[in-house]
Amino acid sequence: MTKPALLSGLALAAFAAIPVAAQVQPLKKAVADDIFADHPSMDQNATVMPAADAKPVAAIFAERPIGDASVARLPGGGWILTGTSLRTGARHGVELWRSADAKTWTRVGPAKISGNGIKVGDVSERYLAPSVTVAGDALYLAFSDKTGCARIAIGSAATPGGAFAASPCLVEDASDVSLFIDNDGKGYLVWGGGMIARLVPGFQKIAEAPRFLKPDQTLFAKHPPVGKDWPVRTRIGTRGATMTRDGDKYILVASETTGRMRTATEDLFVAEAPTPYGPFTMRALAVPHAGRGSLVRMDDGKLAAVYNPKCDDGFALFCEQVGLAPLERAPDGRLRQAASVITEDSAVAARKPLVTTESMRDPSVTLGGDGYYYLVGTLDGYGYHRPEGGVKLWRSADLKTWDDAGFIWKWEGLGYDFGDNIAELWAPEIKWVERDKTYYLAFSVMERGVGGKTWLYRSTSGKPDGPYENVTKSYFVKGIDGFPFEDDDGLYFLWGGGSIGKLNAKRDGFDGPVRTLVDADGDHVGYEGNGLIKVNGVYFLTGAEWHGPLRTHGTYDMMYGTSKTLFGPYSQRRMGAPHGGHGTAFKDKQGNYWYTMFGNDPTAPWRMQFGLVPIDIGDPASIGVPRIDAVRD
């Protein structure tokens, strides 16, 4: 077992508070959710919730550091593997390994390739990202030579250590070359992020002008590309395109480094079509962190993806080694990683939701004055529409079993006229305040076309189930995501993208100016969902941020910054909990720290249900998330 990995700490001197204008900072203009409605990732995970016995993908090949791995099955059983050798010294030719069981590998390369200007053993040749294809008794190697010409070398599958005859240059300026052979024997050269050209019989030249494969653009007629979301509509990936066939479907996979999780995450995307040329479905994220990976058929007849991450990906299970991630069909038919495997190295990837009876977003947990934990959250998908529902409460003694305590607040008596506007109840936050010996309940209401407002209520009984009364006669602040925070000198209210003010003695307004909490660069720590905890005299400001291509394939992560003074400035924002997004950090009765999450992105292990992620406070100014082999129950 490895030790939990912590984010590097930043030593902080005591910073003087920097006053800012006493006004609420305007929220960034939100993009309407319906522009993503054409993406299945908005309602269904790209990955799948791990099964109870799910295991992390394990490396099957670690003989030598390797990238751009390609794996194929040999006739009669056995495996053949190639890729870009990353060992020190000369890199030349096409390296080959074979195995009878995909566990023990024997090197049979560099392949003895010759013909059309290539000399056997010529160390001046450097072949990048080769791929291997087996059809009948033949073994095909596709690669790009040192001039950038795509070539195919043909040899015998029975003797991969024997001679290979190289084709002439098929296309110029090619990279990540692969060969797809259809059931009728026709061959197709595939390269880059989705270029394709059919080959003449014998595969010595292309038979047509190359074309680029991408999703069927008629699928986007209702929702044209918007902003950063454009790439997911114009390509399957940017590199490593390969094709295979599954029944009557042609499957195109390609990888792309999206920048989700605030790291160089290279994921494997998939699209399918009835012909090699399309029309292709919208791309779906099939295997997170897989790198440039092809597909291979397993003994049970099911497909698996080659898992070969780069070392730049801080959340991959390993790097420059090769594993296999089995695939399954989602209920809508999409290919995705199977429930039997975990492909991400973080505690989040192995967690399970704790309340599954209904959907929940923006969960908030507080340890009450009676020793129980209390939970509230956004319910009914994206919040109850007025006048239905309200705020529901759950209670737990151990953070494992949660009992539904029913509604503690409903729309009746809000005392605010929304007119004919649609109003949704968002992001309730419950907080036990020791100095007041009672609970506070903050919640936001989003009016369609108007914006959000936040109310602050207080329990008049000192009990979590209320009754609750409004501390004012109307909403408390403009903006969303209210968060009460108790400090040594009083009670504060945090909301929006970092606005904060100290509550007066009556709790019906602010005592002094409203400030804005920012990091050392002057940026918001999160654009929404801010929260605060104080540990050993250090303030931890958390917030939610999207990373990657907006909501289609990005991640909704918890960011944080630290300061020795409440008003900061805070340290440069850093990743705290991948997929954590809008949640609440809190300390349990044993002194451990947790963060609430609900799964708001297509690579979270579950979607729109409440769960908990263990977090470690490492040095006095850092939050870390244990790696997958250090997960606590």
Side-chain angles (χ1 to χ4, degrees), residues 94-340:
V94 177
E95 297 274 24
L96 290 173
W97 290 265
R98 69 179 302 174
S99 173
D101 55 8
K103 296 178 181 178
T104 303
W105 296 84
T106 301
R107 182 170 177 258
V108 293
K112 299 179 176 64
I113 302 173
S114 63
N116 287 298
I118 296 179
K119 298 179 180 179
V120 176
D122 185 354
V123 296
S124 66
E125 285 286 0
R126 186 173 185 234
Y127 305 148
L128 296 177
S131 65
V132 59
T133 302
V134 175
D137 296 329
L139 177 62
Y140 301 89
L141 304 177
F143 57 91
S144 177
D145 67 18
K146 65 181 180 181
T147 68
C149 277
R151 294 175 182 256
I152 293 173
I154 305 174
S156 169
T159 56
F164 286 82
S167 73
C169 178
L170 301 173
V171 294
E172 297 179 343
D173 299 322
S175 62
D176 300 336
V177 183
S178 65
L179 172 66
F180 166 63
I181 301 177
D182 205 351
N183 295 344
D184 58 6
K186 292 180 180 177
Y188 299 82
L189 192 72
V190 182
W191 69 98
M195 296 297 297
I196 190 171
R198 183 170 55 83
L199 297 164
V200 301
F203 309 157
Q204 298 299 294
K205 65 179 181 178
I206 60 174
E208 60 186 2
R211 67 186 78 182
F212 184 69
L213 304 178
K214 60 183 179 181
D216 180 8
Q217 295 303 291
T218 63
L219 298 172
F220 308 111
K222 183 178 179 181
H223 301 289
V226 175
K228 295 180 182 178
D229 201 40
W230 188 285
V232 305
R233 292 162 159 81
T234 59
R235 59 180 180 252
I236 311 303
T238 57
R239 65 186 299 265
T242 64
M243 184 175 286
T244 191
R245 186 167 176 173
D246 189 32
D248 59 355
K249 296 181 178 179
Y250 292 84
I251 303 171
L252 180 68
V253 297
S255 67
E256 182 165 343
T257 302
T258 62
R260 66 182 185 85
M261 302 182 74
R262 206 174 173 85
T263 188
T265 305
E266 188 174 23
D267 301 317
L268 189 68
F269 294 89
V270 62
E272 299 183 61
T275 76
Y277 303 115
F280 280 91
T281 61
M282 290 177 287
R283 79 176 189 179
L285 201 166
V287 185
H289 309 281
R292 179 191 180 271
S294 56
L295 303 186
V296 63
R297 191 76 62 177
M298 304 295 285
D299 289 336
D300 60 4
K302 296 181 179 179
L303 291 169
V306 175
Y307 184 90
N308 181 215
K310 294 180 179 178
C311 292
D312 293 339
D313 187 342
F315 291 95
L317 290 161
F318 48 77
C319 67
E320 297 179 353
Q321 300 176 22
V322 184
L324 294 174
L327 304 177
E328 67 180 22
R329 291 282 179 183
D332 66 354
R334 287 179 299 118
L335 274 177
R336 64 181 183 187
Q337 73 176 62
S340 60

Side-chain angles (χ1 to χ4, degrees), residues 63-102:
E63 308 295 314
R64 179 178 298 169
I66 195 171
D68 311 312
S70 175
V71 179
R73 303 299 300 269
L74 292 169
W79 305 72
I80 189 78
L81 180 148
T82 188
T84 303
S85 177
L86 302 176
R87 63 187 173 92
T88 58
R91 291 179 286 178
H92 59 88
V94 177
E95 297 274 24
L96 290 173
W97 290 265
R98 69 179 302 174
S99 173
D101 55 8

Side-chain angles (χ1 to χ4, degrees), residues 348 544 556-558 577-583 595-599 601 613:
V348 176
Y556 188 62
D557 303 313
M558 181 267 272
H579 315 289
H582 183 168
Y595 193 77
T596 66
M597 70 166 280
F598 64 94
D601 64 63
V613 177

Side-chain angles (χ1 to χ4, degrees), residues 258-588:
T258 62
R260 66 182 185 85
M261 302 182 74
R262 206 174 173 85
T263 188
T265 305
E266 188 174 23
D267 301 317
L268 189 68
F269 294 89
V270 62
E272 299 183 61
T275 76
Y277 303 115
F280 280 91
T281 61
M282 290 177 287
R283 79 176 189 179
L285 201 166
V287 185
H289 309 281
R292 179 191 180 271
S294 56
L295 303 186
V296 63
R297 191 76 62 177
M298 304 295 285
D299 289 336
D300 60 4
K302 296 181 179 179
L303 291 169
V306 175
Y307 184 90
N308 181 215
K310 294 180 179 178
C311 292
D312 293 339
D313 187 342
F315 291 95
L317 290 161
F318 48 77
C319 67
E320 297 179 353
Q321 300 176 22
V322 184
L324 294 174
L327 304 177
E328 67 180 22
R329 291 282 179 183
D332 66 354
R334 287 179 299 118
L335 274 177
R336 64 181 183 187
Q337 73 176 62
S340 60
V341 295
I342 299 171
T343 57
E344 179 178 299
D345 187 11
S346 76
V348 176
R351 304 301 295 179
K352 303 273 194 307
L354 297 171
V355 174
T356 58
T357 53
E358 57 187 295
S359 65
M360 186 182 301
R361 303 169 66 87
D362 318 311
S364 166
V365 168
T366 190
L367 175 57
D370 56 2
Y372 283 92
Y373 302 96
Y374 294 96
L375 162 70
V376 296
T378 304
L379 304 178
D380 195 38
Y382 289 86
Y384 282 113
H385 287 202
R386 180 182 61 91
E388 303 296 328
V391 178
K392 186 182 283 190
L393 183 73
W394 280 263
R395 188 178 84 159
S396 175
D398 57 7
L399 295 179
K400 296 179 181 178
T401 302
W402 293 84
D403 297 321
D404 187 339
F407 287 98
I408 59 174
W409 182 88
K410 290 191 175 182
W411 287 95
E412 294 88 349
L414 182 63
Y416 186 84
D417 184 10
F418 294 98
D420 295 329
N421 289 335
I422 296 175
E424 299 167 321
L425 181 63
W426 286 8
E429 193 82 34
I430 189 168
K431 182 69 66 175
W432 165 256
V433 176
E434 180 65 29
R435 70 179 60 247
D436 292 357
K437 301 299 181 184
T438 194
Y439 295 82
Y440 283 83
L441 182 67
F443 56 85
S444 302
V445 177
M446 178 63 73
E447 292 181 79
R448 296 282 179 90
V450 176
K453 300 177 179 66
T454 295
W455 275 256
L456 181 61
Y457 274 65
R458 173 173 50 205
S459 173
T460 59
S461 66
K463 297 179 180 180
D465 54 351
Y468 284 86
E469 66 175 3
N470 194 347
V471 300
T472 67
K473 295 182 179 180
S474 185
Y475 61 86
F476 195 69
V477 293
K478 288 185 177 180
I480 61 173
D481 299 344
F483 184 91
F485 171 67
E486 185 177 13
D487 204 359
D488 298 335
D489 64 342
L491 186 62
Y492 291 80
F493 194 74
L494 176 69
W495 77 100
S499 297
I500 189 170
K502 185 178 182 181
L503 296 180
N504 59 25
K506 292 183 178 181
R507 311 309 193 205
D508 61 357
F510 293 117
D511 184 7
V514 170
R515 305 168 185 258
T516 302
L517 305 183
V518 296
D519 72 1
D521 294 330
D523 295 328
H524 293 288
V525 170
Y527 82 99
E528 66 179 7
N530 284 131
L532 276 165
I533 57 172
K534 188 178 181 180
V535 183
N536 298 324
V538 177
Y539 296 89
F540 288 77
L541 174 64
T542 62
E545 195 68 67
W546 280 96
H547 296 118
L550 289 185
R551 304 186 186 194
T552 50
H553 300 301
T555 47
Y556 188 62
D557 303 313
M558 181 267 272
M559 306 298 292
Y560 78 96
T562 61
S563 173
K564 289 189 176 180
T565 63
L566 174 59
F567 299 120
Y570 283 75
S571 62
Q572 189 178 56
R573 63 182 184 176
R574 290 175 274 177
M575 171 80 79
H579 315 289
H582 183 168
T584 300
F586 67 95
K587 183 169 71 171
D588 66 18

